[in-house]
Amino acid sequence: MLLIECDGKALFEASGIPVPERVVVTGGARPPLPGEGPWLVKAQVPAGGRGKAGGVVFCATPQEVDRALAHLIGRALLGHVVQACLVEQAARGREAYLSLMVDPAEGAARLSFSDQGGVDVEAAARDGGALLTEVCAAEREAVGDAIERLAARLGAQSAAGLRAVGPALADLFFSRELLLAEINPLFLEDGRPCAGDAKVVVDANAIGRQPEIRRLVEARPAVYPDMWRKLNEGFDFIDLDPDGTIGLVTTGAGLSMMLIDELTARGGRPLNFCDLRTGQMRGRPDRLIRVLDWLAAKPGLKVLFVNIFAGITDLSEFARLLTQALTQFPRPDIPVVARLVGSGEAAARAHLAAVRPDLAAYTDLDQALQHVIAVSRP
């Protein structure tokens, strides 16, 4: 899970990594600006490439800051609605790059540094720019040694900046069980480094052990909806395509991913991934009602596709809960296609035929997919 910049910088600051003075603006009356100008106004969305997409604005005056805030807040950017902006003093100095990440291919940690930071650092590295890396064991001491090896290959100013920031970044990386901690650009000015940006990727499986990161998620359910749902609802529902047309009500992570692939291969546009975990429904339609409410809020929704391959789950009970939930679905005009296979299948089909004869029920997956694709298109 990628944190928005202001949350990443809060973790940086708490770990002793210098960051610019800043305020977060969510709308309404603007708080006092930090320090003296100029300032950067940055849209806070969990996505990379904000600068190239127009989500970062340089402002020389307070009036320019206000205009940038009015333009960005509430705007759609990179598939997200901008809920807040970070306003910070524009840092100065030579731009460098520093990152520490999990390298799954090596089963290790990868430390990288470059004297050429900024938005095109990856392209610069491909074109012969000096991106120096050290791969080492994913242990604090090993990363500390890697920092020293990299520093020995750098000029005096860069080496001083790496030694000043690298150990704190490593402490944050291990204490918060991160997958990536990246500073780009890392400003270096007279030996005083400053993190101009913060790209922090959290291991979702570690959040239960990380109360500080959980607090960040709980404070921003609209920014981190997927993780907020997992923490508070106990199952997975992940938005995939803001312009999708097919809402999925499914169970089983592998089966759900296979279904998304099949729909996409046929030209369909699934809205979401869903692992409902029917075994935890406990005879209540609450989970189904919440999933249907989330899907009903999607403006492009054209069809609901319910796909349950049941082993332990009794499909007759699931069918009863589904029809109960559908009575509360706020968009009754949306067609529903169901593919139910497994224990209690015959009783489930009989219940659906009696209570919701308009619901198209299938056993064969290919037939169900064809129906869904047909009704999902304009």
Side-chain angles (χ1 to χ4, degrees):
M1 181 188 75
L2 175 64
L3 297 183
I4 57 176
E5 181 185 355
C6 62
D7 288 342
K9 280 185 171 170
L11 294 180
F12 278 7
E13 188 172 44
S15 298
I17 298 171
V19 296
E21 290 187 57
R22 66 207 184 279
V23 294
V24 178
V25 182
T26 57
R30 171 177 57 74
L33 293 175
E36 301 293 331
W39 299 273
L40 291 175
V41 177
K42 302 180 175 182
Q44 296 300 283
V45 294
R50 291 172 299 155
K52 292 183 177 180
V56 178
V57 183
F58 181 87
C59 301
T61 67
Q63 292 76 22
E64 290 181 6
V65 170
D66 290 335
R67 287 194 291 271
L69 290 170
H71 173 68
L72 288 173
I73 293 179
R75 170 190 172 189
L77 183 75
L78 299 169
H80 303 272
V81 175
V82 179
Q83 309 277 343
C85 286
L86 182 68
V87 182
E88 66 181 21
Q89 276 191 297
R92 297 178 175 85
R94 182 168 59 82
E95 296 184 2
Y97 170 93
L98 173 63
S99 70
L100 180 60
M101 65 178 291
V102 172
D103 187 331
E106 297 289 339
R110 178 177 292 270
L111 177 71
S112 300
F113 184 91
S114 174
D115 281 319
Q116 302 175 37
V119 295
D120 294 318
V121 63
E122 292 89 353
R126 287 195 299 270
D127 295 338
L131 180 65
L132 305 179
T133 64
E134 287 281 343
V135 177
C136 62
E139 301 170 355
R140 292 174 191 260
E141 184 176 353
V143 171
D145 292 341
I147 290 171
E148 287 303 316
R149 289 196 298 273
L150 276 187
R153 300 161 64 185
L154 299 170
Q157 187 184 49
S158 295
L162 175 58
R163 289 188 173 110
V165 176
L169 192 71
D171 285 343
L172 173 65
F173 181 82
F174 287 107
S175 64
R176 301 301 183 195
E177 300 179 87
L178 304 180
L179 299 178
L180 170 68
E182 177 186 276
I183 306 174
N184 182 35
L186 171 63
F187 290 100
L188 301 176
E189 183 72 21
D190 298 328
R192 296 189 301 272
C194 180
D197 198 357
K199 184 175 183 180
V200 176
V201 178
V202 173
D203 183 352
N205 295 316
I207 290 182
R209 300 186 296 271
Q210 297 293 334
E212 178 58 32
I213 293 175
R214 177 162 189 155
R215 281 192 291 271
L216 295 176
V217 174
E218 296 284 9
R220 305 185 195 276
V223 175
Y224 307 118
D226 300 339
M227 184 51 58
W228 188 92
R229 292 176 187 131
K230 185 178 182 68
L231 292 174
N232 290 275
E233 303 289 356
F235 63 95
D236 293 295
F237 180 104
I238 300 173
D239 292 316
L240 296 179
D241 183 352
D243 299 316
T245 59
I246 303 168
L248 299 180
V249 182
T250 53
T251 190
L255 187 61
S256 299
M257 289 188 286
M258 179 274 292
L259 194 64
I260 290 166
D261 290 342
E262 291 289 340
L263 289 167
T264 303
R266 288 166 167 79
R269 299 189 66 174
L271 274 163
N272 64 295
F273 165 91
C274 180
D275 182 3
L276 192 60
R277 300 177 191 173
T278 53
Q280 298 178 15
M281 293 175 68
R282 296 180 176 86
R284 297 175 57 87
D286 306 49
R287 288 189 171 203
L288 284 166
I289 290 170
R290 287 192 287 274
V291 168
L292 295 178
D293 283 344
W294 297 331
L295 292 172
K298 308 298 183 183
L301 179 67
K302 292 186 181 299
V303 59
L304 291 174
F305 187 15
V306 181
N307 185 67
I308 307 295
F309 192 97
I312 298 174
T313 298
D314 186 335
L315 286 177
S316 63
E317 179 188 13
F318 176 82
R320 177 178 60 81
L321 299 178
L322 176 63
T323 53
Q324 289 178 13
L326 287 171
T327 63
Q328 301 184 45
F329 185 47
R331 297 180 62 183
D333 58 306
I334 298 295
V336 182
V337 178
R339 186 238 182 181
L340 305 178
V341 177
S343 175
E345 176 186 339
R349 292 172 66 87
H351 175 79
L352 293 177
V355 178
R356 286 294 301 262
D358 61 306
L359 188 155
Y362 294 92
T363 299
D364 183 78
L365 177 59
D366 190 61
Q367 292 177 354
L369 290 169
Q370 290 178 30
H371 189 151
V372 169
I373 294 297
V375 297
S376 70
R377 289 173 173 162

